[in-house]
Amino acid sequence: MLDRSNTLLLSGTSHTRLHSCLYLFCSGSVFLFFSFLKTKGDDEIWLIEFYAPWCPVCEQLDPVWHQIGSELRSLGSPVHVGKSDATASKDLSKEFKILSFPAIVMLKKDMKYIYSGPKTKDEIMEFANRVSGPLVRHLSSVQLFQHVRTRHDVMIVYVGATSPLKGNFTSVAETLIVHTFFFSAPRDVLPKEVSLPSLPAVVIFKDGTYFTFNEEHDGDLQSWINRERFPNYNQIDGYTLYAMGESGKLVVLVVAEEKSLSQESLRYKSLVEKVSADYREIYSRNFYFGFMKGSEYIDGLVMGELSVPSFIVVNLSNDGFFMPLGAVQTERHLLDFLNGVLDGSIQGQGGNSIDLRAQRLLYNIKATVKPVFVRAPLYACFLLSLPLLVMVVLFRLCRKKLPPSADADGDGALLDPSLRRRRKPMDKKSD
Ligand SMILES: *[C@@H]1O[C@H](CO)[C@@H](O)[C@H](O)[C@H]1NC(C)=O
Ligand SMILES: *[C@@H]1O[C@H](CO)[C@@H](O)[C@H](O)[C@H]1NC(C)=O
């Protein structure tokens, strides 16, 4: 009943669908979408963008999305590309757990993979190729192994014949292929110096060395891979940092200038890199190390302007962070800082209480709007009215005591204020 006069622009034969599938769900009706899900072939793989008509980033993505569609087609990829207006239905957003727009989802078999990287053509294509391909890629020769080794900072490999562990490995790959590749190889394809206590084995090659999974020590295979799938030291951007939250480790960061690095930044960078390598045995259980250009992301987390360069330790599981008590100039200072975080003598700050999350949202809205105001005041007023609407809706939700199941409606309101406004009268009716 929510469906207005939605039209399916192109559904026709599979030929037209392939040819111009970009517009398949253009006017996005839930009803049509779900019936599409039922009728799509079991082996069809779909890459779908959920967009909102009011979202400028979606508009920017549009030409990229077209390119992705035509390039995948010309490469003979099995991936069909489509897009859908998610605001036409909150059920749809709920079904796909969509939290922001544009959302990119790959449907393969009965799995849904949500893309969370940068919205660039190359990254999205890489994602599409990785996820649409085999879960575990077999490396049958030394050359192939070496080739892949040079192209991946972190390489996760199952070594040995088929076994129950291989089954576990494959089912881990089924979930985590969204983030990384999974490989398998016979023992004699690995370099001679790799010593494995027994076969089969799961090995992660990274940081110029390798780590072997040990069930007794490392527990569950999936958690271990999730924890260890990043390089010990890395240049980190906002997307990577966010993804690293799943590892459960804290991240020790040097936050530096966005562009030309000062002498001091370079010094901080080599300090963190050295400590990460020299003390890996001691700290790699608890910490990842990284270097980040530009402080925007961290400013949003700490809700303030960090002076650059700075050291900070972030806990992405709870949006917490730790700042050193004094200047960090030497290795000793940095070690004291890390030890202070681990033994609790340095107080954690931030967190993800509802209060702090709301403050952070406001901070980020302010930070986004401020520069726009300076350049284009009228446009900024328009932008400002969006969060205001959100607040109005939230206020309304708070006053009206809602059953717990209405939570998702709250999310919907955050996502699409205009939709909520439109729906108001309907809510009344259903009360
Ligand atoms: C492999 O899977 C089985 C069954 O799900 C589970 O009991 C076992 O603990 C898993 N092994 C590892 C190493 O994760
Ligand atoms: C990081 O956050 C998690 C989740 O809240 C928490 O369990 C853990 O103790 C935190 N780590 C530190 C060092 O505060």
Side-chain angles (χ1 to χ4, degrees), residues 378-429:
L378 264 181
Y379 179 57
C381 287
F382 165 72
L383 275 187
L384 257 187
S385 65
L386 289 180
L388 270 178
L389 268 175
V390 173
M391 308 264 283
V392 168
V393 171
L394 281 181
F395 183 65
R396 181 177 158 269
L397 281 175
C398 291
R399 287 196 1 187
K400 210 173 132 190
K401 214 162 162 285
L402 289 167
S405 66
D407 270 8
D409 284 17
D411 288 340
L414 275 171
L415 292 176
D416 185 359
S418 58
L419 183 70
R420 285 298 308 181
R421 222 166 38 143
R422 262 190 270 121
R423 288 232 182 104
K424 257 185 186 172
M426 282 181 105
D427 286 359
K428 286 244 171 66
K429 239 186 278 165

Short mmCIF file of all heavy atoms in Angstrom, two decimals, residues 378-429:
data_model
loop_
_atom_site.label_atom_id
_atom_site.label_comp_id
_atom_site.label_asym_id
_atom_site.label_seq_id
_atom_site.Cartn_x
_atom_site.Cartn_y
_atom_site.Cartn_z
N LEU A 378 23.24 30.24 1.26
CA LEU A 378 21.87 29.78 1.00
C LEU A 378 21.78 28.26 0.98
O LEU A 378 20.90 27.66 1.60
CB LEU A 378 21.40 30.31 -0.35
CG LEU A 378 20.57 31.59 -0.27
CD1 LEU A 378 20.13 32.01 -1.66
CD2 LEU A 378 19.38 31.39 0.66
N TYR A 379 22.76 27.67 0.29
CA TYR A 379 22.81 26.22 0.21
C TYR A 379 22.96 25.63 1.61
O TYR A 379 22.34 24.63 1.97
CB TYR A 379 23.99 25.81 -0.69
CG TYR A 379 24.16 24.34 -0.85
CD1 TYR A 379 23.12 23.56 -1.34
CD2 TYR A 379 25.36 23.72 -0.52
CE1 TYR A 379 23.27 22.21 -1.49
CE2 TYR A 379 25.52 22.36 -0.67
CZ TYR A 379 24.48 21.60 -1.15
OH TYR A 379 24.63 20.25 -1.30
N ALA A 380 23.79 26.31 2.42
CA ALA A 380 24.02 25.84 3.77
C ALA A 380 22.73 25.84 4.58
O ALA A 380 22.48 24.93 5.37
CB ALA A 380 25.08 26.70 4.45
N CYS A 381 21.91 26.88 4.37
CA CYS A 381 20.64 26.93 5.10
C CYS A 381 19.78 25.73 4.74
O CYS A 381 19.17 25.10 5.60
CB CYS A 381 19.87 28.20 4.74
SG CYS A 381 20.60 29.65 5.48
N PHE A 382 19.81 25.41 3.48
CA PHE A 382 19.05 24.25 3.03
C PHE A 382 19.58 22.99 3.72
O PHE A 382 18.82 22.19 4.26
CB PHE A 382 19.16 24.12 1.51
CG PHE A 382 18.72 22.80 0.99
CD1 PHE A 382 17.38 22.46 0.98
CD2 PHE A 382 19.65 21.88 0.53
CE1 PHE A 382 16.98 21.23 0.53
CE2 PHE A 382 19.26 20.64 0.08
CZ PHE A 382 17.91 20.32 0.07
N LEU A 383 20.90 22.84 3.73
CA LEU A 383 21.50 21.66 4.35
C LEU A 383 21.15 21.58 5.82
O LEU A 383 20.86 20.52 6.36
CB LEU A 383 23.03 21.71 4.23
CG LEU A 383 23.63 21.18 2.95
CD1 LEU A 383 25.14 21.15 3.07
CD2 LEU A 383 23.11 19.76 2.68
N LEU A 384 21.17 22.76 6.46
CA LEU A 384 20.90 22.80 7.89
C LEU A 384 19.50 22.33 8.21
O LEU A 384 19.23 21.76 9.25
CB LEU A 384 21.07 24.23 8.41
CG LEU A 384 22.35 24.51 9.17
CD1 LEU A 384 22.30 25.90 9.75
CD2 LEU A 384 22.53 23.49 10.30
N SER A 385 18.59 22.61 7.28
CA SER A 385 17.21 22.26 7.56
C SER A 385 17.04 20.74 7.66
O SER A 385 16.14 20.25 8.32
CB SER A 385 16.28 22.84 6.51
OG SER A 385 16.57 22.22 5.27
N LEU A 386 17.95 19.97 7.03
CA LEU A 386 17.82 18.51 7.10
C LEU A 386 18.00 17.99 8.52
O LEU A 386 17.12 17.34 9.06
CB LEU A 386 18.80 17.84 6.14
CG LEU A 386 18.46 18.00 4.65
CD1 LEU A 386 19.49 17.29 3.80
CD2 LEU A 386 17.08 17.44 4.35
N PRO A 387 19.16 18.31 9.16
CA PRO A 387 19.31 17.86 10.55
C PRO A 387 18.21 18.39 11.46
O PRO A 387 17.78 17.70 12.39
CB PRO A 387 20.68 18.39 10.97
CG PRO A 387 21.17 19.24 9.87
CD PRO A 387 20.40 18.92 8.66
N LEU A 388 17.73 19.60 11.17
CA LEU A 388 16.64 20.13 11.99
C LEU A 388 15.43 19.23 11.91
O LEU A 388 14.78 18.92 12.91
CB LEU A 388 16.28 21.54 11.53
CG LEU A 388 17.06 22.64 12.24
CD1 LEU A 388 16.67 24.00 11.70
CD2 LEU A 388 16.82 22.56 13.73
N LEU A 389 15.13 18.81 10.70
CA LEU A 389 14.02 17.90 10.50
C LEU A 389 14.24 16.62 11.30
O LEU A 389 13.33 16.10 11.94
CB LEU A 389 13.92 17.54 9.02
CG LEU A 389 12.99 18.43 8.22
CD1 LEU A 389 13.07 18.05 6.75
CD2 LEU A 389 11.58 18.25 8.74
N VAL A 390 15.49 16.13 11.25
CA VAL A 390 15.82 14.92 11.99
C VAL A 390 15.49 15.13 13.47
O VAL A 390 14.88 14.30 14.12
CB VAL A 390 17.31 14.57 11.83
CG1 VAL A 390 17.68 13.42 12.74
CG2 VAL A 390 17.61 14.22 10.40
N MET A 391 15.91 16.30 13.98
CA MET A 391 15.69 16.57 15.39
C MET A 391 14.20 16.60 15.70
O MET A 391 13.75 16.07 16.72
CB MET A 391 16.29 17.92 15.77
CG MET A 391 17.73 18.06 15.35
SD MET A 391 18.84 17.67 16.66
CE MET A 391 18.67 19.15 17.59
N VAL A 392 13.44 17.25 14.82
CA VAL A 392 12.01 17.34 15.04
C VAL A 392 11.40 15.94 15.12
O VAL A 392 10.63 15.62 16.01
CB VAL A 392 11.33 18.15 13.91
CG1 VAL A 392 9.83 18.01 13.97
CG2 VAL A 392 11.76 19.60 13.98
N VAL A 393 11.84 15.11 14.18
CA VAL A 393 11.29 13.75 14.15
C VAL A 393 11.72 12.97 15.39
O VAL A 393 10.91 12.29 16.03
CB VAL A 393 11.76 13.02 12.86
CG1 VAL A 393 11.39 11.56 12.94
CG2 VAL A 393 11.13 13.66 11.64
N LEU A 394 13.00 13.11 15.76
CA LEU A 394 13.49 12.41 16.95
C LEU A 394 12.71 12.86 18.17
O LEU A 394 12.32 12.06 19.02
CB LEU A 394 14.98 12.70 17.16
CG LEU A 394 15.93 11.90 16.29
CD1 LEU A 394 17.37 12.27 16.62
CD2 LEU A 394 15.72 10.41 16.52
N PHE A 395 12.48 14.16 18.24
CA PHE A 395 11.77 14.73 19.37
C PHE A 395 10.39 14.11 19.46
O PHE A 395 9.92 13.69 20.50
CB PHE A 395 11.67 16.25 19.16
CG PHE A 395 11.00 16.96 20.31
CD1 PHE A 395 11.60 16.98 21.56
CD2 PHE A 395 9.79 17.61 20.13
CE1 PHE A 395 10.99 17.64 22.61
CE2 PHE A 395 9.18 18.26 21.17
CZ PHE A 395 9.77 18.29 22.42
N ARG A 396 9.78 14.01 18.29
CA ARG A 396 8.44 13.45 18.24
C ARG A 396 8.46 11.98 18.68
O ARG A 396 7.62 11.53 19.45
CB ARG A 396 7.93 13.56 16.80
CG ARG A 396 6.54 13.03 16.62
CD ARG A 396 6.06 13.22 15.21
NE ARG A 396 5.00 12.26 14.97
CZ ARG A 396 5.21 11.06 14.48
NH1 ARG A 396 6.42 10.65 14.18
NH2 ARG A 396 4.18 10.24 14.28
N LEU A 397 9.50 11.26 18.21
CA LEU A 397 9.62 9.84 18.57
C LEU A 397 9.82 9.69 20.08
O LEU A 397 9.32 8.76 20.70
CB LEU A 397 10.80 9.21 17.85
CG LEU A 397 10.54 8.84 16.40
CD1 LEU A 397 11.82 8.34 15.76
CD2 LEU A 397 9.45 7.76 16.32
N CYS A 398 10.60 10.62 20.66
CA CYS A 398 10.89 10.50 22.09
C CYS A 398 9.64 10.75 22.91
O CYS A 398 9.44 10.15 23.95
CB CYS A 398 11.95 11.52 22.49
SG CYS A 398 13.53 11.12 21.80
N ARG A 399 8.82 11.69 22.47
CA ARG A 399 7.65 12.02 23.27
C ARG A 399 6.60 10.93 23.20
O ARG A 399 5.87 10.68 24.14
CB ARG A 399 7.06 13.34 22.78
CG ARG A 399 7.93 14.49 23.19
CD ARG A 399 7.21 15.79 23.08
NE ARG A 399 5.83 15.63 22.63
CZ ARG A 399 5.07 16.64 22.33
NH1 ARG A 399 5.51 17.86 22.43
NH2 ARG A 399 3.84 16.44 21.91
N LYS A 400 6.54 10.33 22.05
CA LYS A 400 5.56 9.28 21.87
C LYS A 400 6.20 8.00 22.33
O LYS A 400 7.26 7.63 21.84
CB LYS A 400 5.28 9.18 20.36
CG LYS A 400 3.90 8.73 20.03
CD LYS A 400 3.74 8.85 18.54
CE LYS A 400 3.15 7.57 18.01
NZ LYS A 400 3.14 7.44 16.59
N LYS A 401 5.65 7.34 23.31
CA LYS A 401 6.31 6.13 23.78
C LYS A 401 6.09 5.02 22.77
O LYS A 401 4.97 4.66 22.43
CB LYS A 401 5.75 5.71 25.14
CG LYS A 401 6.81 5.07 26.01
CD LYS A 401 6.39 5.05 27.46
CE LYS A 401 7.24 4.05 28.22
NZ LYS A 401 6.88 2.67 27.97
N LEU A 402 7.20 4.53 22.26
CA LEU A 402 7.07 3.56 21.18
C LEU A 402 7.45 2.17 21.65
O LEU A 402 8.33 2.02 22.48
CB LEU A 402 7.98 3.95 20.03
CG LEU A 402 7.54 5.19 19.25
CD1 LEU A 402 8.65 5.68 18.37
CD2 LEU A 402 6.30 4.90 18.44
N PRO A 403 6.85 1.17 21.09
CA PRO A 403 7.28 -0.20 21.40
C PRO A 403 8.69 -0.40 20.86
O PRO A 403 9.09 0.30 19.93
CB PRO A 403 6.28 -1.07 20.64
CG PRO A 403 5.74 -0.19 19.57
CD PRO A 403 5.78 1.19 20.11
N PRO A 404 9.44 -1.36 21.43
CA PRO A 404 10.83 -1.55 21.02
C PRO A 404 10.99 -1.78 19.53
O PRO A 404 11.97 -1.36 18.95
CB PRO A 404 11.28 -2.79 21.80
CG PRO A 404 10.23 -3.06 22.80
CD PRO A 404 9.02 -2.28 22.47
N SER A 405 10.02 -2.42 18.92
CA SER A 405 10.16 -2.74 17.51
C SER A 405 10.18 -1.48 16.65
O SER A 405 10.45 -1.54 15.48
CB SER A 405 9.03 -3.65 17.05
OG SER A 405 7.83 -2.94 17.13
N ALA A 406 9.85 -0.35 17.25
CA ALA A 406 9.82 0.87 16.47
C ALA A 406 11.20 1.50 16.32
O ALA A 406 11.36 2.48 15.63
CB ALA A 406 8.87 1.88 17.10
N ASP A 407 12.19 0.89 16.97
CA ASP A 407 13.55 1.41 16.88
C ASP A 407 14.00 1.69 15.46
O ASP A 407 14.57 2.71 15.16
CB ASP A 407 14.55 0.40 17.46
CG ASP A 407 14.74 0.66 18.93
OD1 ASP A 407 13.98 1.51 19.46
OD2 ASP A 407 15.61 0.04 19.53
N ALA A 408 13.73 0.72 14.62
CA ALA A 408 14.20 0.83 13.25
C ALA A 408 13.58 2.04 12.57
O ALA A 408 14.18 2.63 11.70
CB ALA A 408 13.87 -0.44 12.48
N ASP A 409 12.39 2.39 13.00
CA ASP A 409 11.77 3.59 12.44
C ASP A 409 12.61 4.80 12.75
O ASP A 409 12.72 5.72 11.97
CB ASP A 409 10.37 3.80 13.01
CG ASP A 409 9.39 2.83 12.38
OD1 ASP A 409 9.86 1.83 11.79
OD2 ASP A 409 8.20 3.07 12.48
N GLY A 410 13.18 4.77 13.95
CA GLY A 410 14.07 5.87 14.32
C GLY A 410 15.20 5.98 13.33
O GLY A 410 15.50 7.05 12.85
N ASP A 411 15.79 4.83 13.01
CA ASP A 411 16.88 4.85 12.04
C ASP A 411 16.39 5.40 10.71
O ASP A 411 17.05 6.20 10.08
CB ASP A 411 17.42 3.44 11.80
CG ASP A 411 18.22 2.97 13.00
OD1 ASP A 411 18.64 3.84 13.79
OD2 ASP A 411 18.41 1.77 13.13
N GLY A 412 15.21 4.94 10.34
CA GLY A 412 14.65 5.38 9.07
C GLY A 412 14.52 6.90 9.05
O GLY A 412 14.81 7.54 8.06
N ALA A 413 14.15 7.44 10.21
CA ALA A 413 13.99 8.87 10.28
C ALA A 413 15.31 9.56 10.04
O ALA A 413 15.40 10.54 9.32
CB ALA A 413 13.44 9.26 11.65
N LEU A 414 16.38 8.97 10.62
CA LEU A 414 17.69 9.58 10.44
C LEU A 414 18.10 9.54 8.98
O LEU A 414 18.73 10.43 8.48
CB LEU A 414 18.73 8.80 11.25
CG LEU A 414 18.85 9.22 12.68
CD1 LEU A 414 19.74 8.25 13.43
CD2 LEU A 414 19.41 10.62 12.75
N LEU A 415 17.69 8.44 8.33
CA LEU A 415 18.11 8.27 6.96
C LEU A 415 17.35 9.18 6.03
O LEU A 415 17.90 9.74 5.13
CB LEU A 415 17.87 6.82 6.53
CG LEU A 415 18.73 5.81 7.23
CD1 LEU A 415 18.33 4.43 6.79
CD2 LEU A 415 20.17 6.09 6.90
N ASP A 416 16.12 9.30 6.26
CA ASP A 416 15.31 9.99 5.28
C ASP A 416 14.23 10.82 5.93
O ASP A 416 13.08 10.41 6.05
CB ASP A 416 14.67 8.94 4.35
CG ASP A 416 13.92 9.62 3.23
OD1 ASP A 416 13.89 10.87 3.21
OD2 ASP A 416 13.35 8.91 2.40
N PRO A 417 14.59 12.01 6.33
CA PRO A 417 13.64 12.86 7.03
C PRO A 417 12.42 13.15 6.18
O PRO A 417 11.31 13.18 6.69
CB PRO A 417 14.42 14.14 7.29
CG PRO A 417 15.72 14.03 6.59
CD PRO A 417 15.92 12.61 6.20
N SER A 418 12.62 13.33 4.88
CA SER A 418 11.48 13.71 4.06
C SER A 418 10.45 12.59 4.02
O SER A 418 9.26 12.82 4.02
CB SER A 418 11.95 14.02 2.65
OG SER A 418 12.61 12.89 2.13
N LEU A 419 10.98 11.36 4.04
CA LEU A 419 10.09 10.21 4.00
C LEU A 419 9.23 10.18 5.25
O LEU A 419 8.03 9.96 5.21
CB LEU A 419 10.93 8.94 3.90
CG LEU A 419 10.14 7.65 3.78
CD1 LEU A 419 9.49 7.60 2.42
CD2 LEU A 419 11.05 6.47 3.97
N ARG A 420 9.88 10.39 6.39
CA ARG A 420 9.14 10.38 7.65
C ARG A 420 8.03 11.41 7.58
O ARG A 420 6.93 11.20 8.03
CB ARG A 420 10.07 10.73 8.82
CG ARG A 420 10.99 9.64 9.22
CD ARG A 420 10.27 8.41 9.70
NE ARG A 420 9.28 8.70 10.74
CZ ARG A 420 8.55 7.76 11.30
NH1 ARG A 420 8.65 6.51 10.91
NH2 ARG A 420 7.69 8.07 12.24
N ARG A 421 8.37 12.57 7.03
CA ARG A 421 7.38 13.61 7.01
C ARG A 421 6.17 13.18 6.19
O ARG A 421 5.05 13.41 6.56
CB ARG A 421 7.99 14.88 6.43
CG ARG A 421 7.56 16.08 7.22
CD ARG A 421 8.40 17.25 6.90
NE ARG A 421 8.71 17.25 5.49
CZ ARG A 421 8.78 18.35 4.77
NH1 ARG A 421 8.53 19.50 5.31
NH2 ARG A 421 9.11 18.29 3.50
N ARG A 422 6.49 12.56 5.08
CA ARG A 422 5.40 12.13 4.22
C ARG A 422 4.53 11.10 4.91
O ARG A 422 3.34 11.05 4.71
CB ARG A 422 5.96 11.53 2.93
CG ARG A 422 5.98 12.49 1.79
CD ARG A 422 6.30 11.77 0.52
NE ARG A 422 7.72 11.72 0.27
CZ ARG A 422 8.38 10.58 0.14
NH1 ARG A 422 7.77 9.43 0.22
NH2 ARG A 422 9.67 10.61 -0.09
N ARG A 423 5.17 10.28 5.73
CA ARG A 423 4.44 9.15 6.30
C ARG A 423 3.61 9.52 7.51
O ARG A 423 2.78 8.76 7.93
CB ARG A 423 5.44 8.08 6.74
CG ARG A 423 6.03 7.41 5.56
CD ARG A 423 5.90 5.92 5.71
NE ARG A 423 6.52 5.28 4.58
CZ ARG A 423 7.69 4.69 4.67
NH1 ARG A 423 8.31 4.64 5.83
NH2 ARG A 423 8.21 4.15 3.61
N LYS A 424 3.87 10.72 8.07
CA LYS A 424 3.21 11.07 9.32
C LYS A 424 1.72 10.75 9.37
O LYS A 424 1.27 10.08 10.28
CB LYS A 424 3.43 12.54 9.63
CG LYS A 424 4.49 12.74 10.70
CD LYS A 424 4.55 14.20 11.05
CE LYS A 424 5.68 14.44 12.01
NZ LYS A 424 5.91 15.86 12.24
N PRO A 425 0.98 11.24 8.38
CA PRO A 425 -0.47 11.02 8.45
C PRO A 425 -0.81 9.53 8.52
O PRO A 425 -1.74 9.15 9.21
CB PRO A 425 -0.99 11.62 7.15
CG PRO A 425 0.12 12.44 6.59
CD PRO A 425 1.38 11.99 7.20
N MET A 426 -0.01 8.72 7.84
CA MET A 426 -0.29 7.29 7.83
C MET A 426 -0.11 6.68 9.20
O MET A 426 -0.88 5.87 9.66
CB MET A 426 0.65 6.59 6.87
CG MET A 426 0.22 6.78 5.46
SD MET A 426 1.36 5.93 4.44
CE MET A 426 0.39 4.56 4.00
N ASP A 427 0.97 7.13 9.89
CA ASP A 427 1.22 6.63 11.24
C ASP A 427 -0.01 6.88 12.11
O ASP A 427 -0.43 6.06 12.88
CB ASP A 427 2.42 7.36 11.87
CG ASP A 427 3.69 6.86 11.22
OD1 ASP A 427 3.57 5.97 10.36
OD2 ASP A 427 4.77 7.36 11.58
N LYS A 428 -0.53 8.08 11.94
CA LYS A 428 -1.68 8.46 12.75
C LYS A 428 -2.81 7.47 12.55
O LYS A 428 -3.42 6.98 13.46
CB LYS A 428 -2.16 9.87 12.35
CG LYS A 428 -1.21 10.95 12.86
CD LYS A 428 -1.92 11.85 13.86
CE LYS A 428 -0.94 12.80 14.53
NZ LYS A 428 -0.37 13.77 13.61
N LYS A 429 -3.05 7.20 11.28
CA LYS A 429 -4.16 6.33 10.95
C LYS A 429 -3.99 4.96 11.61
O LYS A 429 -4.93 4.42 12.15
CB LYS A 429 -4.24 6.16 9.43
CG LYS A 429 -5.59 6.62 8.88
CD LYS A 429 -5.71 6.32 7.41
CE LYS A 429 -5.03 7.37 6.55
NZ LYS A 429 -4.83 6.93 5.18
#
